[in-house]
Amino acid sequence: RKEVEQDPGPFNVPEGATVAFNCTYSNSASQSFFWYRQDCRKEPKLLMSVYSSGNEDGRFTAQLNRASQYISLLIRDSKLSDSATYLCVVTPGAGSYQLTFGKGTKLSVIP
Amino acid sequence: DAGVIQSPRHEVTEMGQEVTLRCKPISGHNSLFWYRQTMMRGLELLIYFNNNVPIDDSGMPEDRFSAKMPNASFSTLKIQPSEPRDSAVYFCASRRTGSGNTIYFGEGSWLTVV
């Protein structure tokens, strides 16, 4: 089983739609989780951290399910500018340098 | 504020040639990472430096790859000799220890070996 797995997509959704991505991880000792966003031919950038209780940042909601070892990202009211690849990132703990990246899920928001 | 600066942005080279990629981390950041990204394998950590010292180079593919960090503001990744399978995007990233896991990536060096 791969350390971090994501559905590669692409997810093609109309503007205004709600879309959700899941990511599963194999290391049950993982402590910190993140979503990064990578635009086409650009570098990855931190989108948001994922906290145990779940957290929201505007139209974006991240959740963690430790029992099932997956994290999710929900995007409400999709915008054209949300089109990108979303990378799930898992680490053994806060401050660890060992960030394991998923291969990403590609999202295309269409007019 | 300047971000992580990488050069060259694009390089096309012939098999067997030496390739040197350069990175200037964000000022004040004491951790530096070199990653490689391909469609097949995604983002892979090649090497991690902390305070200019290589801590983990287990991701370096083979002896053809080497990395140095002579000071806090400069690092190089060298491939000698290069092979077509080295074609990828090479990202440098940096972080200030103690700031959590947020790392900041440079724009990448797009390498094509023909």
Side-chain angles (χ1 to χ4, degrees):
Chain A
R1 182 180 175 184
K2 294 178 184 174
E3 288 190 64
V4 178
E5 289 200 67
Q6 296 183 250
D7 181 340
F11 284 59
N12 298 315
V13 303
E15 269 186 292
T18 295
V19 61
F21 312 133
N22 283 338
C23 164
T24 58
Y25 60 95
S26 60
N27 185 355
S28 60
S30 300
Q31 294 294 324
S32 299
F33 309 89
F34 308 87
W35 285 101
Y36 273 68
R37 170 191 169 131
Q38 186 172 22
D39 291 298
C40 186
R41 301 186 70 80
K42 296 288 189 179
E43 73 275 23
K45 293 182 179 179
L46 178 66
L47 176 66
M48 61 195 301
S49 302
V50 185
Y51 302 123
S52 296
S53 55
N55 48 299
E56 193 173 299
D57 183 1
R59 298 181 292 108
F60 298 82
T61 300
Q63 292 199 316
L64 167 65
N65 184 318
R66 286 190 185 274
S68 300
Q69 293 181 210
Y70 78 82
I71 67 173
S72 63
L73 178 67
L74 181 79
I75 306 175
R76 292 181 298 278
D77 188 23
S78 300
K79 311 290 185 190
L80 295 177
S81 57
D82 294 333
S83 297
T85 296
Y86 291 84
L87 306 172
C88 169
V89 183
V90 175
T91 83
S96 172
Y97 70 90
Q98 294 170 314
L99 286 74
T100 302
F101 286 79
K103 289 186 182 179
T105 297
K106 185 174 181 179
L107 171 67
S108 292
V109 180
I110 50 183
Chain B
D1 288 342
V4 176
I5 299 172
Q6 292 187 243
S7 65
R9 291 293 315 283
H10 300 272
E11 177 147 350
V12 180
T13 191
E14 291 186 346
M15 184 173 65
Q17 296 299 305
E18 178 179 293
V19 173
T20 299
L21 308 178
R22 298 172 177 80
C23 175
K24 176 179 169 56
I26 294 172
S27 177
H29 284 194
N30 59 340
S31 292
L32 185 138
F33 308 76
W34 282 101
Y35 284 90
R36 177 172 67 177
Q37 187 175 37
T38 61
M39 289 289 291
M40 290 294 294
R41 301 173 68 90
L43 263 170
E44 302 173 285
L45 177 64
L46 299 178
I47 188 167
Y48 162 66
F49 290 89
N50 192 50
N51 293 324
N52 313 338
V53 176
I55 303 299
D56 183 354
D57 65 354
S58 59
M60 296 286 265
E62 48 198 272
D63 291 346
R64 298 184 298 106
F65 285 69
S66 62
K68 294 182 179 179
M69 191 165 186
N71 58 61
S73 59
F74 184 66
S75 177
T76 59
L77 178 68
K78 189 172 291 187
I79 309 172
Q80 166 63 19
S82 57
E83 296 182 2
R85 60 192 169 120
D86 301 330
S87 298
V89 185
Y90 291 82
F91 287 106
C92 178
S94 72
R95 176 181 78 178
R96 180 183 295 114
T97 304
S99 63
N101 293 101
T102 304
I103 64 173
Y104 297 85
F105 286 83
E107 293 183 307
S109 292
W110 296 71
L111 174 65
T112 302
V113 183
V114 297

